Every structure is written in structure tokens, then in C-alpha cells.
Amino acid sequence: MGANIAATATILIRNAVIMTMNAADDIIFGDVLIEGERIAAIGTDLPEKSADTIIDAGGKVLLPGFVQTHIHLCQTLFRGRADDLELIDWLRQRIWPLEAAHNEDSVYYSAMLGIGELIRSGTTTILDMETVRHTESAFQAIAESGIRAVSGKVMMDHGTEVPLPLQEKTAQSLEESVRLLEKWNGAEGGRIEYAFCPRFVVSCTEELLIGVRDLAEQYGVRIHTHASENTGEIAIVEAERGMRNVVYLDHIGLARPNLILAHSIWLNDEEKRIIKERGVKVTHCPGSNLKLASGVAEIPELIREGVTVGIGADGAPCNNNLDMFQEMRLTAYMQKVKHGPTVMNARTVLRLATMGGAAVLGMEDRIGSVEAGKLADLQLLDLEDFHVYPSFDADWYSRVVYAATRGDVDTVIINGKIAMKGKMMLTIDKPTVLREADRSLKMLLARL
Ligand code: GUN
Ligand code: FE
């Protein structure tokens, strides 16, 4: 091999219970071989001699890494600073002033804190919406930490009670988005992608939304926005634009397969039909929807209609964690209260948390399941503990979705690189991030 050709690193994971989440829902006891970024083989008794690193899973559960399709890394520093409010007050009284006080340093540590929490709890891919300014710092944290992310700066050129540092001119918002896109879309060997993130219709002029529509088409990227989360929000849209929220998005040509809507709780039949027929994707955020008292999204109905649905924790100040284990359980439980206990089972929920999220991002051929040829985004759970026993003749979906917790995540691999091993973070310096998160928050609060 030539001196300038780096040998592909290989990892062999042995003796795992592999919940593949493939189309057949196969659960296999065996080994996974990773070569470089990809899963090269799955089988029993794969030869050890070729692997650089061998992880003896010893009965641990191997799952695809979780895909969370709605996160605000820039809000992680605001955990616990906006409790017990409904959406519009939560934004105007707390979140917007806090976001307005961000600088490069505080966005960076907010992102690192969030990414640390995400990787620690088994999430390997996120769709992330940043704040208006300093998005460069969030991309820096994403690049350094190794997490897979689709992210973009939030866009806000309209609305009342918006602090000055968050107010943008239309052209400037579009230009800054394109500048970030050209720098970060496809960065780190494709691990990072850009998405246009108009905040919600309440924060955006029609000119901005139409500009986003055309630029997203031109660059072949996704559009991520909040939609129909709160009755006050849709009342504002109806008063200003004379249409229901999703009807309006369709009216101006945004309702296309590259549009990803967070929440989608308050939809009428026409809006559900638009989402279905236009191939619009939906992200369910149960923890946020319960805490902000936003409502219960009709997720089982949307799935029945063939809509592609993922799950996301939203931001730390409306949850207050970024933990997919909690979101999975809440997804099932809130639907059961409304529609009865059989409406959603553990297997359906785990599919939303993995392949569902991958499909929302258009990455279903690359991530979301443990299959040869896919990118190696994986997590190992150690279920040798009281709260997940007995193991005898266990239903693995039930054990993982209804009983396991974030503390059970033992090892996380992203893009073929070990990010956490034996609960030790390898790509993020935890003591530094915790210390600097406190320091940068203290300075941010002084700027408020
Ligand atoms: N709608 C507009 N902005 C936001 C936000 O930051 N979080 C949530 N949950 N909803 C929003
Ligand atoms: Fe959100």
C-alpha cells in the first residue's frame, strides 16, 4: 500500500444482540464489522484477525444510533430558564431575549453541551435549528464533536416583540444563509449538511419564504421550520396571511418533499391532505408539546396516511432534556391516553426514532438501520441492570422503548468513529464543556 494511502480503520463488534431495524425487523445474535465509515458485514463468527479494534459486546444490545429531527443546540444553555410558559410567552419573554444575548463563545458551548447530552444518550444524527447569529460556532462544535448533523441559522425578518439583535433584513438573512450553506453543506466528508431554517411563519415575510423556497431548490437542500405548534401561533398567521398555516405554506409553494415541519399539531383535514399529497415531512416533539401545553399531534393518523414522521426533543428549555429514550416513551404514552393502549406499540416507536428520522432527512439509504453498506452510526446498550430485567424470553422492543434509559447507553459510534466507549466520552472533553457552559452562560446573562 502506498505511503500516502491511509489504511481503512476496522472495528469488529462481537457477540451483540443486533436489533437491525431493517425492513424485516431482523434481530440477530452476532457480530458487526465496520470498515472506515461503513458497516462492511453482519454475521456470526466474523474473523477477528483483520480488525484494528475489537469490542466484545458480550450480550449488549446493538441498535442504530437515534435520529432526532428537531433540536436547537443554541438553546441548551437556557435549560431551566423558561419553565412553565406557553409558546408565544416562552419565546417573547425568555427565549428571544436569551438568544439575542448569545455571542460566538456562548453558542459554541451551548452546542457542545447539547451534543454531549445527545451522544451520551445514543443520538447520532440531528436536524438542528440555530439562532440568527453566530451559527458558525455551532457548526464548529458539530465538526469537532463528530455528530452527524443537518443544521442552519434561523431566519427572522418579521414579527413583533423581537429583540434588535434577532431582527434581520430579508436580503441579509438570505445572504448569510447562503454563505453558511456554501461553507458547511457537505463538510466533514458529508457528515454535515445545511438546511434553510425560517423560524415559523410568524417570524418571516412572504418574500423571505419565497426566497428560501427558490434557494433550497437551487442548492438541493432541505427547509426546516416550526408549523402549527400552538393555537396562538396559527391565529397570528391567519390574521396576517388570511389562511391556515399549512394552507399558506402550500399557497406560496413551500409544501414540497424537502420541507420538514416541527410539531404539526393543529392541522385541519385540508392541511393533513396537503402534507400527505405534497410529501412534506413531520417531526413529532412530545416532550416539548406536553411541557409547553401545545397539544397532542395526530401522529398515528399521519403515519396511517403514509406521512414520513420522525421524533425530536426540541430545545432544552422546553423539554428539559435531549433524550430520545424519554421522547420514545412519551410518543407512545401520550397517544395511548388519547386513543387507547393499542394505538402505538414499542416497535413502531423505535422505528420512528431510527428509520423514521432517517427518512425525514432523506437519508434512509445511508443511516437508520444496521445493514451492510450503511454508514456505521451505532449504539450499544448495556442492559445488565435491575430496571431492564428479566431478560429471559424478552421482547427486545419493549425492553428498549418502555424500560431502558439513557444511562444504559454504553458505546456510541458515528461515521465509523467511536464517540463514546464504556460511557467515556472520547470526542468531547466533558469537564471542560460543563465548566465553560457555566462560564459562558454567566457572561451571557450579564449581557441580557
Ligand atoms: N416556534 C418558533 N420558534 C420556536 C422555538 O425556538 N421553539 C419551539 N418549540 N417553537 C418555536
Ligand atoms: Fe423548536
Side-chain angles (χ1 to χ4, degrees):
M1 191 180 287
N4 59 346
I5 302 171
T8 306
T10 54
I11 303 170
L12 180 66
I13 302 171
R14 292 185 39 83
N15 303 318
V17 176
I18 306 166
M19 299 178 73
T20 63
M21 304 310 291
N22 66 12
D25 270 321
D26 289 323
I27 297 178
I28 303 161
F29 186 83
D31 311 335
V32 171
L33 178 67
I34 300 166
E35 282 179 7
E37 296 172 353
R38 290 185 187 276
I39 297 168
I42 301 168
T44 47
D45 290 321
L46 295 181
E48 285 187 6
K49 61 179 185 306
S50 57
D52 304 316
T53 306
I54 294 170
I55 297 174
D56 194 342
K60 291 188 178 72
V61 176
L62 183 70
L63 278 175
F66 294 130
V67 180
Q68 292 210 42
T69 49
H70 185 59
I71 292 287
H72 301 260
L73 290 176
C74 65
Q75 293 178 2
T76 322
L77 282 189
F78 312 148
R79 192 189 330 262
R81 269 168 213 284
D83 292 335
D84 312 323
L85 293 165
E86 67 83 45
L87 177 70
I88 303 295
D89 291 341
W90 180 85
L91 287 169
R92 288 179 175 161
Q93 294 173 21
R94 305 288 171 83
I95 298 306
W96 286 346
L98 286 163
E99 284 191 17
H102 256 315
N103 65 13
E104 284 180 10
D105 174 58
S106 58
V107 168
Y108 177 83
Y109 286 107
S110 188
M112 274 299 193
L113 190 65
I115 296 167
E117 182 181 5
L118 288 159
I119 293 176
R120 174 70 194 86
S121 51
T123 293
T124 54
T125 298
I126 55 170
L127 173 57
D128 171 52
M129 180 183 289
E130 284 303 311
T131 186
V132 170
R133 298 175 304 134
H134 316 300
T135 300
E136 198 74 50
S137 297
F139 276 114
Q140 208 67 50
I142 288 165
E144 290 170 20
S145 66
I147 198 164
R148 189 180 306 286
V150 181
S151 181
K153 79 170 231 78
V154 88
M155 307 172 80
M156 301 176 72
D157 72 338
H158 178 70
T160 51
E161 294 180 55
V162 180
L164 216 65
L166 298 187
Q167 293 179 20
E168 301 181 283
K169 294 267 181 279
T170 311
Q172 165 203 346
S173 182
L174 292 166
E175 279 161 25
E176 172 67 359
S177 297
V178 168
R179 188 190 70 75
L180 287 161
L181 182 160
E182 289 185 339
K183 177 161 180 193
W184 290 101
N185 192 42
E188 299 287 317
R191 177 166 60 77
I192 300 176
E193 291 183 22
Y194 196 84
F196 286 97
C197 296
R199 188 157 207 145
F200 57 166
V201 172
V202 173
S203 294
C204 302
T205 62
E206 189 159 305
E207 187 190 353
L208 182 85
L209 293 169
I210 288 173
V212 162
R213 176 197 70 193
D214 293 343
L215 286 166
E217 194 69 30
Q218 181 188 328
Y219 284 97
V221 301
R222 272 152 241 291
I223 302 170
H224 183 38
T225 190
H226 298 96
S228 307
E229 172 179 9
N230 173 288
T231 50
E233 168 206 350
I234 59 174
I236 295 170
V237 175
E238 236 172 327
E240 286 187 359
R241 319 279 157 118
M243 276 173 253
R244 302 242 341 153
N245 199 5
V246 175
V247 175
Y248 174 69
L249 290 172
D250 187 43
H251 176 73
I252 59 171
L254 256 80
R256 297 179 183 180
N258 67 343
L259 180 67
I260 303 168
L261 302 179
H263 308 292
S264 304
I265 298 169
W266 300 101
L267 305 173
N268 68 14
D269 287 344
E270 184 186 7
E271 292 175 297
K272 287 176 196 161
R273 184 185 53 73
I274 290 168
I275 286 174
K276 176 188 166 186
E277 289 181 0
R278 302 278 189 265
V280 173
K281 314 297 191 284
V282 168
T283 297
H284 181 45
C285 306
S288 165
N289 297 165
L290 288 164
K291 184 156 184 277
L292 296 173
S294 299
V296 179
E298 293 296 346
I299 297 303
E301 184 188 350
L302 291 174
I303 295 172
R304 249 193 334 270
E305 292 294 321
V307 175
T308 303
V309 177
I311 300 174
D314 209 340
C318 61
N319 190 300
N320 289 358
N321 291 118
L322 309 179
D323 172 3
M324 187 58 114
F325 288 92
Q326 285 192 38
E327 298 310 301
M328 288 196 296
R329 231 175 279 183
L330 290 175
T331 294
Y333 293 0
M334 75 196 279
Q335 297 301 334
K336 290 175 189 298
V337 164
K338 193 161 178 192
H339 298 291
T342 60
V343 71
M344 227 181 203
N345 62 23
R347 192 199 306 194
T348 304
V349 174
L350 189 60
R351 186 154 282 280
L352 294 182
T354 53
M355 280 305 290
V360 163
L361 296 174
M363 295 184 183
E364 62 270 38
D365 294 336
R366 284 186 276 161
I367 60 170
S369 62
V370 186
E371 295 182 79
K374 279 204 166 178
L375 292 165
D377 288 9
L378 306 166
Q379 57 177 319
L380 270 175
L381 308 185
D382 179 357
L383 299 186
E384 289 302 306
D385 213 336
F386 297 110
H387 67 279
V388 274
Y389 255 67
S391 68
F392 175 74
D393 194 27
D395 175 330
W396 291 100
Y397 297 101
S398 171
R399 241 181 137 196
V400 167
V401 174
Y402 294 149
T405 66
R406 62 160 81 194
D408 303 327
V409 181
D410 179 87
T411 294
V412 174
I413 297 172
I414 311 174
N415 219 28
K417 196 169 168 219
I418 303 175
M420 182 173 84
K421 190 171 186 186
K423 304 189 181 180
M424 287 289 295
M425 302 296 291
L426 302 184
T427 60
I428 295 178
D429 179 358
K430 180 175 167 183
T432 301
V433 169
L434 300 189
R435 185 187 68 236
E436 296 298 308
D438 266 352
R439 181 196 52 76
S440 59
L441 173 66
K442 187 176 169 201
M443 292 174 70
L444 182 150
L445 294 175
R447 291 191 296 272
L448 257 187

